[in-house]
Amino acid sequence: WLEEDEPLAAHARDPFHRVDIRSSSRHVRVEANGVLLAESTRPLVLFETMLPARFYLPVQDVHWEHLEATDSSSDCPYKGTANYWKLHGAGANIAWSYARPVSGAEALGGLVCFYNEHVDLIVDGRQQTRPQTPFN
């Protein structure tokens, strides 16, 4: 797909679908089964139509010893091609990143996001409710 001269990552973009990325200084902790997976006070927050807010964290703030890369990838016309990680020995993808985000989402490059649906997300000391989305 092309939109003018720019290749699209997946399909044509919906003009009524929004993706907004904002800097934040909120304290974000990500845990799974009591194990700390990431902690940061410099996240970017992504607000996307019909999805919960997503906290993208610098790779330096992720505890990689608990994660392993998977062969999974997916394409998003708003963000680019995502690569995924899972907990060691587990089956489900719980985190992703965009190595080369598309135009307009460059700020996401080098950041990691965890599925709010599959981990314990604690923001400013308050555990967030796991949302119901198509990714449950």
Side-chain angles (χ1 to χ4, degrees), residues 73-130:
S73 68
S74 64
D75 294 317
C76 171
Y78 308 98
K79 294 170 285 218
T81 300
N83 297 306
Y84 292 88
W85 287 268
K86 65 180 183 175
L87 285 173
H88 281 297
N93 292 328
I94 64 164
W96 70 91
S97 69
Y98 298 96
R100 289 181 301 283
V102 299
S103 176
E106 295 91 349
L108 300 179
L111 302 177
V112 177
C113 188
F114 290 82
Y115 279 110
N116 309 31
E117 299 87 341
H118 301 297
V119 297
D120 294 321
L121 182 66
I122 300 131
V123 180
D124 292 335
R126 294 183 144 162
Q127 181 151 350
Q128 306 298 295
T129 303
R130 290 190 181 181

Side-chain angles (χ1 to χ4, degrees), residues 3-135:
E3 188 170 79
E4 292 299 327
D5 291 335
E6 292 188 23
L8 298 178
H11 54 76
R13 295 178 184 180
D14 178 347
F16 300 105
H17 188 104
R18 291 194 54 151
V19 175
D20 296 312
I21 302 166
R22 300 290 180 257
S23 296
S24 177
S25 59
R26 298 181 82 177
H27 181 213
V28 177
R29 286 178 59 91
V30 180
E31 299 177 1
N33 304 320
V35 175
L36 180 64
L37 302 179
E39 184 168 22
S40 184
T41 55
R42 51 192 181 140
L44 290 184
V45 186
L46 185 138
F47 301 96
E48 185 170 0
T49 302
M50 300 185 65
L51 289 174
R54 302 289 192 190
F55 291 87
Y56 282 77
L57 311 178
V59 295
Q60 302 88 340
D61 296 346
V62 175
H63 295 268
W64 292 104
E65 66 273 16
H66 303 299
L67 302 172
E68 64 183 85
T70 71
D71 293 333
S72 300
S73 68
S74 64
D75 294 317
C76 171
Y78 308 98
K79 294 170 285 218
T81 300
N83 297 306
Y84 292 88
W85 287 268
K86 65 180 183 175
L87 285 173
H88 281 297
N93 292 328
I94 64 164
W96 70 91
S97 69
Y98 298 96
R100 289 181 301 283
V102 299
S103 176
E106 295 91 349
L108 300 179
L111 302 177
V112 177
C113 188
F114 290 82
Y115 279 110
N116 309 31
E117 299 87 341
H118 301 297
V119 297
D120 294 321
L121 182 66
I122 300 131
V123 180
D124 292 335
R126 294 183 144 162
Q127 181 151 350
Q128 306 298 295
T129 303
R130 290 190 181 181
Q132 292 298 310
T133 73
F135 303 106

